[in-house]
Amino acid sequence: HPYLEFHIDGIRVNVVPCYSVEKGQWKSATDRTPYHTDYMRQHLRPEMRLEARLLKRFMKGIRSYGAEIRVGGFSGMLVETLILHYKSFLDTLVQASNWNPVIFLDLEKPTSSQDSKPRDLHSPLVVIDPVDPNRNLAAAVRGDKLWGFVAASRELQNNPGTWYFFPPKPTPRTKAKFAKLLEHQNRDVVAISFEHSRMVPDVLWGQLLKMEKALTELMIRQDFHPIKSTVWSDEGRSSAILVEMDTSTLPGVQLRQGPPISKMDDSQGFINRHLNANDTVRGPWMEDGRWVVDKKRRILTMEQLVTMALKDRKLGLALPDQLSSSFRQNVKVLENRQIVRLLGRESFDQALSEFLAAKPAWLKPHH
Amino acid sequence: HPYLEFHIDGIRVNVVPCYSVEKGQWKSATDRTPYHTDYMRQHLRPEMRLEARLLKRFMKGIRSYGAEIRVGGFSGMLVETLILHYKSFLDTLVQASNWNPVIFLDLEKPTSSQDSKPRDLHSPLVVIDPVDPNRNLAAAVRGDKLWGFVAASRELQNNPGTWYFFPPKPTPRTKAKFAKLLEHQNRDVVAISFEHSRMVPDVLWGQLLKMEKALTELMIRQDFHPIKSTVWSDEGRSSAILVEMDTSTLPGVQLRQGPPISKMDDSQGFINRHLNANDTVRGPWMEDGRWVVDKKRRILTMEQLVTMALKDRKLGLALPDQLSSSFRQNVKVLENRQIVRLLGRESFDQALSEFLAAKPAWLKPHH
């Protein structure tokens, strides 16, 4: 969907076109917006508007506000609908604290009939669009943003403060501080970084999130055990996937499980395949009623993993279309203190700080 | 059961007493022996005796012969019963190649009634004692010895040779060779070694096997991943458990999984427990809909594991009674090249060679 963006006095303004259609005769994704505006003008009383603004500020502070792909959070319409449903900011938080999936909210239907509604099975949160009963306003809310909101809602009640709404900027760190931090993480941190052409943020982030998934799944298949990962982008030409794991260097041998010894044909096949093979380091031998064998591991490091996956299709790395060729051409794998090379790029320092901290900024020690 | 052992002209002779009882009125474990001897004298024809000797030699060569606890293999009576059942050495091997648990053999009963026999559920191999229908001659055959016999039976047919019967002695290695081997194993090898009082071999080996199990289970619980283990003993005052694992040194942090975020009370408990705790390294944070937290790991090395397990009963190391106090007093944990300190002790060099080789000696490359 095309739109126009410009900035006046530091305020970003989006002009988004839509078709003027009858309710229900939607021709494009934004045609509901005038109906949304009308609906809220009619139903959202002035004091509830303040509650909605408070909830938006809270969600912004805890990083759950915004339907853009980068965030994957709650849209403005969704927040306003929650306020219409629960009446106030605090009641929304109290109710959200108890949310148990699948959560189903429909303003326009009496509560009793809700169980018979067809539900959106892919979504843990279903909030029926008051101007379109076939649409789930929360369909694009990602799990981490939903549960971040639930967790922060509880925490604000346990440990109230203003930092949920206005999180302090993290104190900037020097390159040396970051290097030290990266070396003393007790784990290995890897940045898979690459340059690419400019594209619309929603497209870019969609592609980057797919890439994060493809890469971490590749790591899991190859015995690297990613503990957490995130995506950074300057939304221009540079992006990186950050991954943390216990170790980014695997041992040179890999124990491979074979068939149960009781299965004669499978056992014979396993022995024939491995006994004289060049890449057999040791064995086969028998362990707990099965054949096992030590094989030479082809892929020991993250750098090797990425390089091999670009050459060998059998490793099954499916890169998203619009980033694939850039990634192939200039991907760099940086480990631990090498990652400081990316410092200074737009928003990278903060992204790295938050990644290394892991704990959400709003979760503060209880006193 | 007490018995007398002496040596004449290099031959070991055991004199084992038993009660002279009516068949079935057993008062001690060895009272069946005269009946076994009678039974075989009557049933085992001269040419079958040669077949039985061949099978015994084969089983000895592949380390599956002998009912003593150290071996956990096939007793003489069991081998002779197999020959009575299958008629010849080669037919026994052909049949054993196809054994699929539970294997049930009863000489004295027609084949048709075998399915209705009550079976020994703990044993993959049930061979009814021809002089006592309530006894399984194979009850003490351990899984590794049973499957070693099955696998070697197949292999002799695929790749015949005399080495199954008369395995060559492994060529002795120098201390330097062993040290190099231990350093280049691509894994870590640990010897948990200790001195103890003398005891009857069957008692000692029973205790050592229990200890091996207790120690490897402790390792698994504490995130060490033993790949294989074995027991060595000089059958005098020295014994050791050998264990191989990918790494014997764990990272300083440990990711602990918490409750699903949707469970409010569990989540609150988890946050309260870990947010301000001294041993929390990082977090809690949210991952895939759950709380997780990085905790400081108390036990990083095998040495720490053994030391802590002796102090802290919560780690659940249950040492076998008769070795417990010796183990507590003088256990030593040797890693990789430190293990060369044990070289030269009775049968240790061969035990270590076989442990490092992993592949059974009878499994040779096919040409």
Side-chain angles (χ1 to χ4, degrees), chain B residues 9-243:
Chain B
D9 297 341
I11 293 171
R12 193 175 51 154
V13 178
N14 289 349
V15 177
V16 185
C18 70
Y19 292 95
S20 170
V21 296
E22 290 290 300
K23 201 169 164 180
Q25 308 297 308
W26 319 118
K27 294 173 78 174
S28 82
T30 50
D31 301 349
R32 292 181 193 83
T33 305
Y35 291 93
H36 285 160
T37 311
D38 278 356
Y39 188 90
M40 288 302 163
R41 282 222 174 101
Q42 280 179 43
H43 293 82
L44 208 62
R45 281 171 285 118
E47 67 278 15
M48 288 172 106
R49 292 177 194 188
L50 290 173
E51 300 287 329
R53 286 188 195 107
L54 201 54
L55 185 53
K56 286 178 185 179
R57 183 70 249 176
F58 175 72
M59 284 194 174
K60 209 164 198 165
I62 62 161
R63 308 283 182 86
S64 284
Y65 185 65
E68 59 269 39
I69 309 288
R70 178 178 63 82
V71 178
F74 293 68
S75 68
M77 178 66 191
L78 175 54
V79 170
E80 290 157 18
T81 307
L82 287 175
I83 290 294
L84 279 181
H85 202 277
Y86 292 127
K87 308 306 179 205
S88 76
F89 168 71
L90 212 56
D91 283 327
T92 307
L93 264 50
V94 169
Q95 293 302 318
S97 299
N98 284 299
W99 276 355
N100 227 317
V102 176
I103 309 121
F104 185 87
L105 305 177
D106 188 349
L107 275 178
E108 299 291 302
K109 289 279 157 63
T111 338
S112 56
S113 74
Q114 289 188 4
D115 275 333
S116 60
K117 281 292 291 181
R119 291 181 178 196
D120 177 349
L121 289 174
H122 301 291
S123 223
L125 175 63
V126 181
V127 181
I128 297 300
D129 187 337
V131 308
D132 181 353
N134 295 316
R135 187 160 171 268
N136 174 13
L137 285 172
V141 178
R142 286 201 296 270
D144 54 335
K145 300 299 168 162
L146 169 61
W147 294 114
F149 170 61
V150 168
S153 294
R154 294 173 188 157
E155 191 64 12
L156 178 76
Q157 298 166 69
N158 291 328
N159 194 22
T162 54
W163 63 82
Y164 299 88
F165 304 87
F166 301 99
K169 282 245 163 190
T171 39
R173 281 197 184 89
T174 62
K175 195 173 267 204
K177 274 259 172 64
F178 268 116
K180 204 176 159 192
L181 206 62
L182 284 160
E183 286 299 318
H184 292 82
Q185 195 72 0
N186 263 316
R187 297 242 175 80
D188 285 331
V189 182
V190 173
I192 300 172
S193 140
F194 63 108
E195 311 291 304
H196 49 78
S197 54
R198 285 183 181 278
M199 53 190 94
V200 176
D202 268 4
V203 173
L204 175 62
W205 282 98
Q207 299 265 303
L208 287 170
L209 291 170
K210 273 184 200 156
M211 182 174 280
E212 179 191 21
K213 188 159 183 282
L215 284 169
T216 52
E217 286 176 353
L218 171 70
M219 290 172 202
I220 292 168
R221 286 197 300 275
Q222 293 297 320
D223 289 349
F224 295 90
H225 300 292
I227 281 168
K228 59 200 288 286
S229 65
T230 196
V231 178
W232 162 81
S233 178
D234 67 0
E235 298 198 336
R237 300 180 166 276
S238 296
S239 298
I241 315 292
L242 293 171
V243 188

